[in-house]
């Protein structure tokens, strides 16, 4: 019967068959892009000695920007306080480095050092640094809430104690958000560690970007008891990477020091978790706990 197909019918059939073949050839799916490509962790360590003050600046590799921060006090065991965790940048400039400074809380004869951590990535759309500073006076307690500009989300955090020089501690360094909500603001709270007559203030820094796919806040809290040391590791959900972090001391009101605020990862591997560790700064009989916060985005 096919021998008697008229020429116009034969041409139509050929076109139909070609169309069927074209539909059958499907290009492979393009893999989803990472929300924050090129994510790595950079670290820099100060000298180890018994001087009262240490400072380091961790700078992102050329072409990368700073999405988050971290630090580690090595060998001080509660006798030193990070006074400055300051990302550079500004309201129209992407941060690219973080400066970390620490003082001895009390006279401490041992040797210690300070590590600064920068979480860095390829340029992130809309990345800027927002800032809020509290009043400056001699009150025992300070609070500062810094929000991202409208339409932006929080990728990382920072703070600065101004004028306290080791006499105040950050007790609350808490991004908002949740397991299904992107963080958009940071609450920073600080207490005097010992009675301090001078005026001092607190600055909170928020590293903010245009909406980032999959951005959430993960949380873990240690046991609550009267032990001298606490540790809490917040791990990003499967398939996500760490852009920044935070912590919170619960119940210790100026008598605890976060000694370790350490993102994992390396100069070639993206971070996926943050370890927070805290010591009692002076003997404290009450129960207290430590919460660690991880800000995470789609890998």
């Amino acid at each position: 019967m096919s021998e008697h197909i008229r020429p116009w019918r034969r041409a139509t059939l050929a076109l139909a068959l070609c169309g069927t073949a074209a539909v059958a050839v499907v290009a492979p799916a393009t893999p989803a892009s990472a929300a924050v490509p090129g994510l790595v962790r950079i670290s820099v360590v100060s000298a180890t000695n018994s001087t009262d003050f240490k400072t380091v600046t961790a700078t992102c590799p050329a072409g990368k920007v700073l999405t988050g921060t971290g630090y580690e006090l090595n060998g001080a065991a509660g006798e030193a306080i990070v006074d400055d965790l300051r990302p550079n940048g500004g309201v129209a400039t992407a941060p690219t480095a973080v400066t970390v400074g620490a003082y001895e809380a009390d006279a401490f004869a041992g040797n210690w050092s300070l590590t600064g951590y920068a979480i860095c990535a390829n340029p992130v759309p809309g990345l800027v640094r927002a800032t809020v500073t509290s009043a400056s006076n001699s009150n025992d307690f300070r609070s500062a809430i810094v929000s991202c500009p409208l339409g932006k989300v929080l990728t990382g955090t920072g703070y600065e104690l101004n004028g306290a020089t080791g006499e105040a501690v950050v007790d609350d360094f808490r991004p908002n958000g949740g397991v299904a909500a992107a963080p958009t603001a940071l609450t920073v709270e600080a207490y005097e560690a010992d009675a301090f007559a001078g005026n001092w203030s607190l600055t909170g820094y928020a590293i903010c970007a245009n909406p980032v796919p999959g951005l959430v806040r993960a949380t873990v809290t240690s046991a609550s008891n009267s032990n001298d040391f606490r540790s809490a590791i917040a791990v990003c959900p499967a398939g996500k990477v760490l852009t920044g972090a935070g912590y919170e001391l619960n119940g210790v009101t100026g008598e605890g020091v976060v000694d370790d605020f350490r993102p994992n990862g390396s100069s070639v591997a993206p971070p996926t978790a943050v370890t927070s560790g805290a010591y009692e700064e002076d003997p404290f009989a009450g129960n207290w706990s430590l919460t660690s916060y991880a800000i995470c985005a789609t890998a």
Side-chain angles (χ1 to χ4, degrees):
M1 184 174 176
S2 62
E3 295 176 0
H4 301 289
I5 296 175
R6 294 177 182 177
W8 65 269
R9 293 286 301 275
R10 191 176 292 117
T12 302
L13 180 59
L15 286 171
L17 289 172
C18 288
T20 302
V23 170
V25 178
V26 179
T30 302
S33 298
V36 188
L39 202 69
V40 294
R41 187 202 71 178
I42 303 302
S43 61
V44 62
V45 184
S46 75
T48 299
N49 54 41
S50 60
T51 57
D52 176 63
F53 178 70
K54 305 277 188 300
T55 186
V56 295
T57 298
T59 302
C60 292
K64 291 185 182 288
V65 294
L66 183 81
T67 69
T69 65
Y71 66 80
E72 188 173 7
L73 291 163
N74 316 293
E79 297 301 327
I81 293 170
V82 168
D83 184 88
D84 193 2
L85 182 65
R86 187 180 73 252
N88 67 356
V91 294
T93 306
T96 56
V98 58
T99 296
V100 189
Y103 289 89
E104 292 182 359
D106 297 306
F108 177 63
N111 291 334
W112 61 286
S113 65
L114 170 66
T115 302
Y117 295 106
I119 302 174
C120 304
N122 296 349
V124 176
L127 198 72
V128 294
R129 187 199 70 177
T131 309
V132 165
T133 300
S134 73
S136 180
N137 54 42
S138 61
N139 292 352
D140 175 66
F141 175 73
R142 293 286 175 287
S143 180
I145 300 174
V146 53
S147 297
C148 289
L150 186 64
K152 293 185 184 289
V153 294
L154 183 80
T155 69
T157 57
Y159 68 81
E160 187 173 6
L161 293 163
N162 314 294
T165 59
E167 298 299 330
V169 294
V170 170
D171 184 88
D172 191 356
F173 188 44
R174 176 173 35 91
N176 68 353
V179 294
T184 57
L186 172 71
T187 296
V188 189
E189 296 179 346
Y191 289 88
E192 292 182 358
D194 296 304
F196 177 63
N199 291 337
W200 61 287
S201 65
L202 169 66
T203 299
Y205 295 105
I207 302 172
C208 305
N210 294 351
V212 174
L215 199 72
V216 295
R217 187 197 71 178
T219 308
V220 67
T221 300
S222 73
S224 180
N225 54 43
S226 61
N227 292 351
D228 176 64
F229 177 73
R230 294 285 174 288
S231 182
I233 302 173
V235 179
C236 289
K240 294 185 184 288
V241 289
L242 185 83
T243 67
Y247 58 76
E248 186 174 8
L249 289 165
N250 314 292
V252 72
T253 59
E255 298 299 330
V257 174
V258 175
D259 184 88
D260 192 2
F261 178 52
R262 186 179 73 253
N264 69 352
S266 71
S267 61
V268 295
T272 56
V274 59
T275 297
S276 298
Y279 289 88
E280 293 180 0
E281 193 266 323
D282 291 312
F284 179 69
N287 291 337
W288 61 286
S289 64
L290 170 64
T291 300
S292 189
Y293 297 105
I295 302 172
C296 308
T298 301

